[in-house]
Amino acid sequence: MVPADQGGGVMRADLLGESIDGLDEALAAVDSFDRALVVGLLRPHAVRDTGLTGLAGAVAGTPLAGVVTEAADKAVAGAAGEDHFVALAAARTALLGSVHDALTARVEEAIGRPRAEESVPAPAGQPAGNLLTAARTWLSDLARCGWQGIDHDVVAGAAPVVSAMLPDPALRRLAALLDGFAAELAASCPGSALERVPVRRWADLWSRAMVLTVPGAADVPATGTATGRLLPLGVDVQEHATAVQAQVHAVFEPADGAAPRLVRASVSAPKPDTVVGAGLWQLLRPHMSLLTAVSEGRSMDLTDMPVTAEGDLVWDDARARTGEPADALATARVALSTATASATAPLDRHPSRIAVPVFLEGYEAEKDGEGVAFTVTGHRLAVDTDRVPAAGPLTAEAVAASGACVGLLRWDAGVFTVQPLAVETTVRKKPVAVHAGAWAGGTADKAGAKAEKAATDAAAVLRERAGRLLRK
């Protein structure tokens, strides 16, 4: 939401609460198939049969109809092969892709932001490799036994595949997915003893990994270069026990005067599970100078930086230098409403991937037993403060006391929410900006410096222990 006198307009928050035709039916078909994965696709069961026929029916009339119907019939008959499992995973991916597209269209209608006309091309196919085939075999074994049938022997089949994939950069994306997926499954063995199954999550991981075994599906080619000014909006931190990623959302202003566009720049690093909070920045900071610019509130000047058609910068510090001061809230007020959003790559069309930068101002913030919420033009919009990283000064209290917010509009559990990246609040009658990524490049802030020191001490202990092991 941007003041009209600055070229923007009021967000249609009412549209975000309205139902979308066909959305519930598509999600119901996905949920039914996901329950089939719980019991196993080759085990006779009414839940399995309902899930398979429901998935086939949901894609009837599409180019997938024939192969998915055949795959469902084969699975019901107990004769499904690996290609049939790929077809079922593709159908589930396509259904969630349609949900993504419907939600994205609703967001665009609500915020009135332009979207790029060009689409992201599908990756070109390549000959199947032995490692992709091995990964597909393991994933097929999982589908056959179902989550309730997993044991350590089944899960352990991923280990040699992951080890062989990791040295190859072209396969590392799939290897990381398989590694994390297998670790979650191993921690839950035996499946027969599980009291609660993360049904949607494991089905998401399974279907995405299965589709990525199709030769060429994991290719993410850089399709162009970017020269101009990068204006950061904020940092989204995604943390796992063994890995962490920081994704910077920004507005890019091309040097040739073309329309500004929304872009992202990401950096990832492996981590021990004992490194948390502000210690995460110590792992990420050496790999991307942009994090320092974010914490200092500065722009960056890019020269021939590789960028994909989806708007992801393939970051190279050699192609960037620190620019002039650029406050994220000021950028959002002035430039965000006219920045063009990039198209989404085919395999990234999933509701969980929706993260649209928005600027909200003039709302009423409240904090109650259900968390923090903004009332925007008379309509309640939930605020997802759980996504705000602990590795920064932004807190739920600061969000609840704010009057302006740069955030990511997301969709989760059937509703739209806002994930704050930065807010403007009042301290001693003066406006103060609080950023989630304020400690990304280091900080003199007392709380941030204390957290950094604790993380440094923990890392030193880990290095000392690792050294002992190596010496032995």
Side-chain angles (χ1 to χ4, degrees), residues 9-98:
V10 177
M11 174 190 286
R12 290 285 309 278
D14 58 312
L15 294 177
L16 300 179
E18 293 182 359
S19 61
I20 300 176
D21 292 342
L23 191 74
D24 291 341
E25 292 80 0
L27 289 173
V30 170
D31 289 339
S32 182
F33 176 73
D34 292 353
R35 289 191 291 271
L37 283 175
V38 175
V39 301
L41 296 187
L42 290 189
R43 294 185 177 187
H45 200 289
V47 170
R48 179 205 65 175
D49 296 349
T50 300
L52 290 168
T53 55
L55 184 67
V59 297
T62 74
L64 288 172
V67 294
V68 175
T69 298
E70 178 187 349
D73 291 343
K74 289 288 186 180
V76 169
E82 293 179 6
D83 289 343
H84 297 122
F85 292 129
V86 172
L88 295 172
R92 183 184 183 279
T93 301
L95 275 178
L96 287 173
S98 69

Side-chain angles (χ1 to χ4, degrees), residues 229-232 290 293 297-301 321-327:
R229 186 169 67 152
L230 189 70
L231 302 168
L290 177 58
R298 306 184 76 87
S299 65
M300 293 207 82
D301 297 319
R321 62 182 179 84
T322 305
E324 298 296 321
D327 178 71

Side-chain angles (χ1 to χ4, degrees), residues 243-265:
V244 61
Q245 173 180 271
Q247 187 174 66
V248 179
H249 291 261
V251 173
F252 173 67
E253 296 179 335
D256 61 6
R261 61 182 295 197
L262 293 173
V263 296
R264 298 175 295 266

Side-chain angles (χ1 to χ4, degrees), residues 29-375:
V30 170
D31 289 339
S32 182
F33 176 73
D34 292 353
R35 289 191 291 271
L37 283 175
V38 175
V39 301
L41 296 187
L42 290 189
R43 294 185 177 187
H45 200 289
V47 170
R48 179 205 65 175
D49 296 349
T50 300
L52 290 168
T53 55
L55 184 67
V59 297
T62 74
L64 288 172
V67 294
V68 175
T69 298
E70 178 187 349
D73 291 343
K74 289 288 186 180
V76 169
E82 293 179 6
D83 289 343
H84 297 122
F85 292 129
V86 172
L88 295 172
R92 183 184 183 279
T93 301
L95 275 178
L96 287 173
S98 69
V99 172
H100 168 278
D101 292 350
L103 292 170
T104 300
R106 176 57 57 86
V107 170
E108 291 172 353
E109 184 180 3
I111 65 178
R113 182 178 298 147
R115 174 165 289 273
E117 295 295 330
E118 67 272 11
S119 60
V120 178
Q126 300 174 355
N130 292 335
L131 292 178
L132 291 179
T133 301
R136 186 180 301 178
T137 298
W138 179 71
L139 292 164
S140 297
D141 289 342
L142 289 181
R144 291 186 179 98
C145 67
W147 312 134
Q148 291 180 339
I150 59 172
D151 56 32
H152 287 291
D153 289 338
V154 173
V155 175
V161 180
V162 171
S163 297
M165 281 184 166
L166 283 174
D168 186 347
L171 298 175
R172 204 164 289 157
R173 181 183 184 190
L174 177 56
L177 173 55
L178 294 176
D179 189 35
F181 188 20
E184 290 190 21
L185 294 175
S188 303
C189 286
S192 58
L194 281 175
E195 295 183 0
R196 177 184 173 275
V197 177
V199 180
R200 173 66 66 83
R201 175 173 174 79
W202 283 0
D204 277 345
L205 294 173
W206 177 84
S207 58
R208 184 166 182 81
M210 184 62 84
V211 172
L212 289 178
T213 66
V214 176
D219 293 351
V220 186
T223 58
T225 58
T227 298
R229 186 169 67 152
L230 189 70
L231 302 168
L233 294 168
V235 186
D236 176 26
V237 178
Q238 299 160 18
E239 183 182 355
H240 189 271
T242 59
V244 61
Q245 173 180 271
Q247 187 174 66
V248 179
H249 291 261
V251 173
F252 173 67
E253 296 179 335
D256 61 6
R261 61 182 295 197
L262 293 173
V263 296
R264 298 175 295 266
S266 302
V267 58
S268 304
K271 78 173 190 71
D273 57 8
T274 54
V275 176
V276 295
L280 301 176
W281 300 122
Q282 297 182 22
L283 303 177
L284 299 168
R285 200 175 292 146
H287 303 291
M288 192 163 72
S289 59
L290 177 58
L291 294 178
T292 301
V294 169
S295 65
E296 294 178 351
R298 306 184 76 87
S299 65
M300 293 207 82
D301 297 319
L302 309 184
T303 303
D304 295 331
M305 183 73 73
V307 59
T308 69
E310 199 177 6
D312 288 300
L313 299 170
V314 184
W315 193 262
D316 180 357
D317 273 347
R319 301 175 184 272
R321 62 182 179 84
T322 305
E324 298 296 321
D327 178 71
L329 288 157
T331 296
R333 281 189 173 95
V334 176
L336 187 54
S337 64
T338 58
T340 302
S342 299
T344 304
L347 293 186
D348 290 338
R349 293 165 54 247
H350 188 288
S352 66
R353 294 294 299 267
I354 295 175
V356 181
V358 294
F359 175 64
L360 302 173
E361 190 173 34
Y363 53 79
E364 294 181 5
E366 60 175 328
K367 185 177 182 182
D368 53 30
E370 298 180 0
V372 181
F374 295 156
T375 300

Side-chain angles (χ1 to χ4, degrees), residues 460-471:
V461 171
L462 289 171
R463 281 193 295 269
E464 192 273 335
R465 290 177 179 175
R468 285 185 190 174
L469 292 173
L470 290 173
R471 288 193 296 273

